[in-house]
Amino acid sequence: WNFAAAAAMGVVTEQQLEQVRAGMRGLTPASAYDKVYNDECVLSFDTPLSPGGLYVSLRSFLGFGAQHVQADSLRTGNSLYVHIHVTRVPKPKPEPGSEAASAPTKMAIGMEGGFNVDGPQYEEHKETALVLMPAGERIPLPCDDLPTLISQCVSAVLSHVGANAEAKEAAVAWEAEVMPSKYANDLLQLPAHKTISPDPSSWVCEESGMKENLWLNLSDGHIGSGRRQWDGSGGADGALNHYRQTVHHFPPSGFPLVVKLGTITPHGADVYSYAEDEDTEVSDPKLAEHLAHWGIDVMKMEKTVESVSEMNVKANEKLELDKITEAGKNLTPILAQGYLGLNNLGNSCYINSVLQILFALPEFALLSTSASSIIASSPADPTTDLLTQLAKLATAMLGNRYVPGGDGAEPASEPPAEAAVAPRMLKALLGRGHPEFSTGRQQDAFEYLMHLVEATARAERAGSVRLGAGGRSLAGLFSFVLEERVQVDGQVSYQRVPSQRSISLQIPTELASNKAEVAAYREIEDKRQRLGDSTDGPEPVVPVVPFSACMDRFLAAEALESFRGRAHAAKTTRFATFPKVLVVHLRRYYVDTDWTAKKLAVAVPVPETLDLEAYRSTGMRPGEQALPDEPEPAAAGPPAPAPDEGIVGQLVSMGFSENGARRAAVAVSNSTAEAATEWVFAHMGDSDFNDPLPPAGAPLATEAAPPAADPEAISMLGAMGFGERQATAALRATGGSIERAADWLFSHSEDLEGAVAAALGENGPPPAAGGADAGGDDGRGVYDLVGFVSHMGSNTSCGHYVCHIKKEGRWVLHNDRKVAASEATPLDLGYIYFFRRRDA
């Protein structure tokens, strides 16, 4: 459809006015609370600067490019659109000798007589028109003949801040509104009964056992999970429930302040107040003091003077930066279909790097061929639909519309050196409601990748038929099953671990292949530091660790303190299935004992071909004896010991009830007051916490059997297509929550029967070795490297990300909007590697 062919100039006809009056029924001008997409098409990356301009619906306020506006009109019945077309005209160069051309006379920027670096180099001309669809008749604006309501609606659309710019401003404003908590200065902190470890693997919710989204209560050291979201995602309300318990024991405000583990840096942390009169994110002016109480001294690590060793660290980071970005190389830019860059939206390089690699995969590329059916079935607001936004980006990145000379590319007076689009709507959608990805701060690309894959899996489950091609799964590309083999007392147990999407490899620096060179370099640097030599030293020498050593560490036998009540067990891990795309995460970053984020200065040469078939699981082998199932717990335990009065007295002095103190002493076998205190914090919400103990010598009650599943909940899950046994297992695994149970069933679809058996405590025979799970995928474990993401910086919350992708037989560097052929591909400095199975 050609809008120019339907252009109408001159006086508005009565027929046009009748069509306007018919289309204006129910219209209201956009208010300050409405989102108006007058800066970008919701289904493509067309803008008012595109050759076809942008059409904004006066009813939905959604913007559409020239290729989508007619389809929207036919689908929705909307007939009135405002067409916005902006052209840029380069400003003429000032005449020699004129005031504008005179040389600067001041060492200043943006001032009279100074350097003018921010002034626009072009003039913008905006043309607007009211377009009557579906015929496409145009009424140039402004027009006095139009009804007053239409003029008001048009004016509101044209003057409204665009939704993309509005979202950016709102994020900045939101971050600026964090106020100090009124409870911070006089915060009560109980005696420190434990030290919080900097090792994230040791953090666990004391109620649910969750290991993600954890919050530390600054008053009593309790660790609990975050809030449960409406869809069952997020946490299990562990931190919030604990706060409510503290209000009961320490009225009126309890222990309201919590800090999110994983966000603590020398510059601050995410702090939240659960107090009813705050109930929002806050700041804590005494955060350093409150954290130090629990052994977290990160705030004391700020320094203003660099030591020689710190200068050497910076030198190493500079060397790494140069190698990863291939600085100093005369790289050849690539401007062609399939090589589109992505604009940095402010610390969004982690997003750009992940998206570039994903859309280089053939399966994600199919989104562009399925875009028409995905868009046709999108909801009324396409900005809220992940599949639509993924298809929008795929169409742009893999098509030729936005490369120089394309139908959607902005006209340029000179041939551009780069071509890129800005995935603003996708970024906003994936960040919605997320405490990290909704901000403008730098984030961990690996965490973002896992978040994106999980969000894609949810979207696919809700609309798999929209993808076409048999509804093939995008998230399923990365899914595989591991098998854990535990050997103890000459017997073995096999357990399959489904729904894996990556492997995270430790880097054993002690196995470096160049130890002698590293030692010699460190000796020189130690001598320079003793002498206070701050001049440039030799080029840093970092340990070189073979990739095979990282894989061997991942697959090596792991000693277990206990397994099913038996000591000295050993666990080994192997692949039960191999995914089409294997994501390998190198754990270059860690939190040191002083709570500072650090990076391993190490090179890991990663091969471009990987054969993992030797690491495939074999299942039960001939001659092996299966470990019997865990015995059922006895109906009653040994007689309860008498509580230690000394421990009881200490707990009572802290404000806890005598009955609760006695139960705590007995529960920890009268070991120590510290252990009893921890037990109190974990169980103060128990219904029988303040009940008297059973008479002396009476047997202790054992853990009750899981409660029977709610028949109504089973029926609701059955309506989704799941059997009674599957529904029962899901409800048992999620504490009876229907929403979480449904998500649990869908997320374990690749090995549902195995997950059900595990949840029900069954120990059936392992599936045949090498077989694919129902709905899964498997093949020979031979892989080719297709791309990797690299990070430069001391930790993942700062620095810069780029990616290298193998396209058409050559490595290509993607650095935000810059795309160029790689000359010295840094295969040994990657952070996330993507391997494609050769037979996929």
Side-chain angles (χ1 to χ4, degrees):
W1 175 65
N2 188 344
F3 76 88
M9 303 295 292
V11 180
V12 182
T13 67
E14 186 60 33
Q15 184 179 2
Q16 289 174 328
L17 284 176
E18 288 181 4
Q19 187 175 350
V20 169
R21 294 188 189 102
M24 63 185 279
R25 295 191 184 98
L27 290 185
T28 56
S31 71
Y33 300 100
D34 291 314
K35 288 185 177 181
V36 178
Y37 293 89
N38 57 13
D39 48 6
E40 182 179 296
C41 173
V42 297
L43 301 176
S44 72
F45 289 92
D46 283 13
T47 70
L49 287 164
S50 298
L54 189 70
Y55 296 78
V56 183
S57 168
L58 288 184
R59 190 170 300 278
S60 67
F61 310 132
L62 298 176
F64 299 93
Q67 64 180 152
H68 293 292
V69 61
Q70 192 171 53
D72 179 72
S73 174
L74 294 174
R75 187 175 70 159
T76 63
N78 296 339
S79 60
L80 303 180
Y81 294 78
V82 177
H83 181 231
I84 310 171
H85 189 215
V86 176
T87 55
R88 286 176 173 172
V89 179
K91 283 186 174 181
K93 294 183 179 180
E95 295 292 335
S98 66
E99 182 179 349
S102 59
T105 59
K106 295 180 180 179
M107 287 297 294
I109 296 176
M111 295 177 60
E112 183 178 354
F115 294 88
N116 182 19
V117 297
D118 296 325
Q121 305 301 313
Y122 48 79
E123 294 178 349
E124 289 190 348
H125 299 281
K126 179 186 290 187
E127 296 178 1
T128 58
L130 181 67
V131 179
L132 312 181
M133 296 298 297
E137 295 185 56
R138 297 169 57 84
I139 302 175
L141 297 172
C143 178
D144 295 335
D145 295 335
L146 292 174
T148 302
L149 176 60
I150 292 297
S151 297
Q152 292 174 342
C153 291
V154 168
S155 177
V157 164
L158 295 176
S159 61
H160 206 289
V161 176
N164 288 323
E166 192 176 58
K168 183 177 180 180
E169 292 174 1
V172 173
W174 176 81
E175 290 183 8
E177 290 175 356
V178 177
M179 303 296 292
S181 170
K182 71 178 186 180
Y183 299 97
N185 287 333
D186 300 318
L187 185 70
L188 171 65
Q189 289 191 289
L190 298 184
H193 55 89
K194 62 181 177 181
T195 298
I196 307 301
S197 168
D199 180 10
S201 64
S202 66
W203 304 337
V204 61
C205 174
E206 297 178 25
E207 276 74 30
S208 65
M210 292 185 66
K211 307 200 70 157
E212 297 177 351
N213 190 18
L214 300 176
W215 295 77
L216 169 70
N217 191 295
L218 291 172
S219 292
D220 60 14
H222 176 274
I223 296 178
S225 61
R227 294 178 187 264
R228 179 182 289 115
Q229 303 300 324
W230 64 271
D231 59 353
S233 63
D237 289 334
L240 176 59
N241 292 337
H242 177 72
Y243 160 71
R244 290 169 176 163
Q245 295 164 12
T246 64
V247 171
H248 176 71
H249 292 284
F250 297 89
S253 302
F255 301 154
L257 296 188
V258 292
V259 59
K260 186 172 184 180
L261 293 175
T263 68
I264 302 171
T265 72
H267 308 289
D270 291 348
V271 181
Y272 197 93
S273 172
Y274 284 125
E276 291 186 2
D277 55 351
E278 290 183 334
D279 196 19
T280 186
E281 184 177 357
V282 296
S283 63
D284 179 0
K286 293 186 175 181
L287 183 60
E289 175 185 331
H290 294 154
L291 289 172
H293 182 78
W294 301 107
I296 305 174
D297 296 331
V298 63
M299 299 303 175
K300 299 178 181 177
M301 302 308 297
E302 290 274 29
K303 297 182 68 175
T304 58
V305 180
E306 291 182 338
S307 67
V308 173
S309 61
E310 289 169 333
M311 293 179 186
N312 292 335
V313 170
K314 281 198 168 184
N316 181 69
E317 291 179 353
K318 174 64 167 61
L319 177 65
E320 181 184 70
L321 172 67
D322 292 345
K323 286 185 176 180
I324 291 177
T325 60
E326 303 185 50
K329 303 288 185 183
N330 187 21
L331 302 183
T332 303
I334 302 177
L335 283 172
Q337 182 175 345
Y339 293 86
L340 195 67
L342 294 174
N343 284 328
N344 194 312
L345 304 174
N347 291 324
S348 66
C349 53
Y350 70 98
I351 297 176
N352 294 345
S353 298
V354 168
L355 291 177
Q356 286 285 10
I357 291 186
L358 290 182
F359 284 96
L361 300 174
E363 290 78 6
F364 274 80
L366 287 174
L367 284 169
S368 62
T369 59
S370 305
S372 58
S373 62
I374 292 175
I375 290 174
S377 58
S378 63
D381 185 355
T383 66
T384 64
D385 183 59
L386 181 58
L387 291 182
T388 298
Q389 294 306 312
L390 289 174
K392 166 182 172 176
L393 185 59
T395 304
M397 293 182 66
L398 302 172
N400 59 8
R401 184 173 180 81
Y402 300 102
V403 298
D407 294 339
E410 297 179 11
S413 57
E414 298 179 0
E418 302 162 353
V421 295
R424 294 186 185 91
M425 294 183 189
L426 180 61
K427 178 182 184 296
L429 179 57
L430 286 169
R432 189 170 300 165
H434 194 283
E436 303 296 339
F437 303 136
S438 60
T439 70
R441 299 190 293 266
Q442 184 70 280
Q443 304 296 338
D444 188 334
F446 177 68
E447 292 181 1
Y448 185 78
L449 170 65
M450 295 296 102
H451 173 68
L452 191 157
V453 172
E454 175 60 28
T456 303
R458 291 174 181 266
E460 289 180 313
R461 290 195 290 267
S464 59
V465 295
R466 299 173 59 198
L467 292 171
R472 63 184 64 181
S473 171
L474 299 175
L477 289 174
F478 311 99
S479 297
F480 60 98
V481 181
L482 291 175
E483 183 177 82
E484 294 180 348
R485 176 183 182 271
V486 179
Q487 180 171 346
V488 60
D489 295 341
Q491 298 174 320
V492 295
S493 171
Y494 287 87
Q495 179 68 47
R496 292 165 75 86
V497 186
S499 302
Q500 303 298 302
R501 288 179 176 147
S502 66
I503 58 174
S504 291
L505 304 183
Q506 293 182 343
I507 305 176
T509 53
E510 70 276 8
L511 300 180
S513 59
N514 62 336
K515 290 182 180 179
E517 293 86 346
V518 173
Y521 167 74
R522 290 176 177 171
E523 183 178 350
I524 294 174
E525 292 305 301
D526 289 343
K527 182 177 180 180
R528 293 180 64 241
Q529 185 168 8
R530 288 194 302 269
L531 297 175
D533 183 1
S534 60
T535 61
D536 292 339
E539 183 175 299
V541 177
V542 300
V544 178
V545 178
F547 180 76
S548 58
C550 302
M551 285 296 304
D552 290 342
R553 176 64 58 90
F554 174 73
L555 298 163
E558 174 187 355
L560 303 179
E561 291 185 7
S562 175
F563 182 76
R564 296 185 184 175
R566 306 188 185 199
H568 309 298
K571 182 182 74 173
T572 54
T573 301
R574 292 293 184 267
F575 290 89
T577 65
F578 287 109
K580 286 186 176 180
V581 177
L582 177 65
V583 176
V584 178
H585 167 227
L586 288 186
R587 298 168 64 175
R588 294 183 176 273
Y589 303 91
Y590 65 101
V591 179
D592 208 347
T593 54
D594 59 11
W595 279 81
T596 54
K598 294 184 177 179
K599 180 179 182 179
L600 289 174
V602 60
V604 182
V606 174
E608 294 193 49
T609 300
L610 200 59
D611 189 347
L612 300 177
E613 193 61 32
Y615 301 115
R616 184 185 288 277
S617 61
T618 60
M620 187 74 72
R621 303 169 187 170
E624 287 184 332
Q625 183 180 356
L627 187 68
D629 294 344
E630 199 165 3
E632 293 293 329
D644 184 290
E645 295 300 330
I647 294 177
V648 172
Q650 290 187 53
L651 294 177
V652 170
S653 68
M654 295 171 64
F656 301 109
S657 68
E658 182 175 351
N659 286 335
R662 289 181 174 278
R663 284 183 172 273
V666 170
V668 299
S669 302
N670 295 321
S671 56
T672 64
E674 290 77 11
T677 303
E678 287 197 39
W679 187 92
V680 167
F681 290 139
H683 294 82
M684 64 171 57
D686 294 355
S687 58
D688 61 350
F689 179 76
N690 293 309
D691 294 345
L693 278 172
L700 289 174
T702 57
E703 184 176 353
D710 182 0
E712 184 177 351
I714 292 179
S715 177
M716 293 178 66
L717 294 173
M720 300 181 188
F722 298 105
E724 180 178 352
R725 178 170 171 273
Q726 296 170 334
T728 301
L731 291 166
R732 181 176 298 183
T734 57
S737 168
I738 297 177
E739 294 81 4
R740 293 178 60 206
D743 187 66
W744 185 92
L745 288 164
F746 285 120
S747 63
H748 290 82
S749 59
E750 296 167 14
D751 186 22
L752 185 56
E753 285 308 307
V756 167
L760 296 177
E762 301 170 356
N763 189 22
D773 293 315
D777 182 82
D778 191 20
R780 182 169 171 77
V782 180
Y783 288 89
D784 294 312
L785 183 64
V786 295
F788 61 97
V789 174
S790 303
H791 177 261
M792 298 143 285
S794 59
N795 61 76
T796 54
S797 61
C798 64
H800 184 60
Y801 287 93
V802 301
C803 70
H804 287 76
I805 307 175
K806 200 161 194 178
K807 295 182 176 181
E808 300 178 313
R810 62 176 174 177
W811 284 102
V812 177
L813 169 65
H814 288 260
N815 184 358
D816 287 333
R817 63 180 292 114
K818 300 179 184 294
V819 181
S822 173
E823 290 188 5
T825 308
L827 294 169
D828 56 344
L829 297 177
Y831 176 48
I832 314 168
Y833 292 84
F834 294 75
F835 290 89
R836 184 171 186 84
R837 206 177 67 216
R838 188 170 292 179
D839 64 6

